[in-house]
Amino acid sequence: MKKLFLVANWKSNKTVGEAESWIEEIKNLKVEGRNSEVVLCPPFTLLYPLKKLIADYKLPITLGAQDVSPFPDGAYTGEVSARMLRDLEVKFVIIGHSERRKYFKEDDQTLTNKVKETLDAGLTPIFCVQDKTTPVPDGVKIIAYEPIFAIGTGTAETPEKSNETAGDFKELIGKDLIVLYGGSVTHENAGDFCRQQNINGVLVGGASLDPVKFSQIIYHAAQI
Ligand code: PGA
């Protein structure tokens, strides 16, 4: 049975109180699936309180970050280094999301540096690619295929087309590459993506903000 990664990307949403409410709701819902790893990527401000809540309630949730500094610790005002993330028990880092590329002008070199910092700290990058032309830095083992038109629009790519693109990336990078799909994932389509041969899970934005919707995604993925 293939392993699935069900990744929640909260983007720039939720206060500490709102994150606590999300956990209070989801802790009563079944989050364990079949061979699934649930990864929650909140804003930096929520990593510490969530780490404590996940430990207190012994929830089967792994923490991820949405970004990381392209530099090590040092005089880089405003940045959060990979070492700091590791200290908070973060295991995954989303790198190269199209919103970071668009609004923060992150270029290929910056993204390569972020991947290097992440790997050096012993964390796993989840590298976002927009299409087949997106360069993937060395050492990346998990990518998320997120076509721009599908992000936050309610119009997902078809599972079949995503499977095809995932296959192309595997051919290019290696058959062990793990490919996730992201872009307008809902509880209605999550299972269809996870069922594709070349796809090992989903990266969920909007639908992950609601604990009920996100746990339905986990539930549907567990059925395949
Ligand atoms: P969406 O976002 O699920 O809201 O489309 C996905 C993403 O940007 O990772």
Side-chain angles (χ1 to χ4, degrees), residues 33-95:
R34 27 88 81 199
N35 191 9
S36 300
E37 179 154 8
V38 176
V39 182
L40 175 56
C41 304
F44 290 135
T45 48
L46 300 177
L47 287 171
Y48 185 69
L50 283 169
K51 167 176 116 78
K52 288 187 74 96
L53 284 168
I54 289 167
D56 288 351
Y57 291 132
K58 297 188 174 48
L59 296 175
I61 296 179
T62 308
L63 277 180
Q66 298 173 20
D67 189 24
V68 65
S69 174
F71 300 105
D73 291 7
Y76 305 103
T77 302
E79 288 300 299
V80 175
S81 73
R83 198 178 75 94
M84 296 172 197
L85 295 177
R86 186 182 58 201
D87 185 48
L88 292 174
E89 284 166 31
V90 164
K91 299 277 187 283
F92 296 91
V93 183
I94 297 173
I95 297 176

Side-chain angles (χ1 to χ4, degrees), residues 7 9 11 94 97-99 128 146 150-154 182-186 203-208:
V7 186
N9 175 11
K11 307 191 179 183
I94 297 173
H97 192 283
S98 57
E99 289 154 10
C128 299
E146 296 208 311
I151 295 180
T153 58
S184 297
V185 172
T186 65
L203 178 51
V204 189
S208 73

Side-chain angles (χ1 to χ4, degrees), residues 124-210:
T124 302
I126 298 175
F127 194 80
C128 299
V129 298
Q130 287 70 50
D131 58 48
K132 281 186 266 187
T133 65
T134 310
V136 177
D138 286 349
V140 167
K141 294 195 163 61
I142 305 182
I143 64 167
Y145 168 51
E146 296 208 311
I148 307 259
F149 73 82
I151 295 180
T153 58
T155 305
E157 176 63 283
T158 66
E160 295 73 23
K161 186 90 202 311
S162 308
N163 187 50
E164 216 177 285
T165 307
D168 291 342
F169 271 105
K170 278 172 182 266
E171 219 161 90
L172 205 69
I173 294 166
K175 66 172 174 25
D176 294 334
L177 181 74
I178 292 170
V179 186
L180 315 183
Y181 169 79
S184 297
V185 172
T186 65
H187 69 277
E188 278 148 351
N189 62 19
D192 291 338
F193 286 107
C194 292
R195 215 170 277 126
Q196 302 299 315
Q197 192 194 345
N198 296 321
I199 295 180
N200 279 74
V202 283
L203 178 51
V204 189
S208 73
L209 295 171
D210 179 333

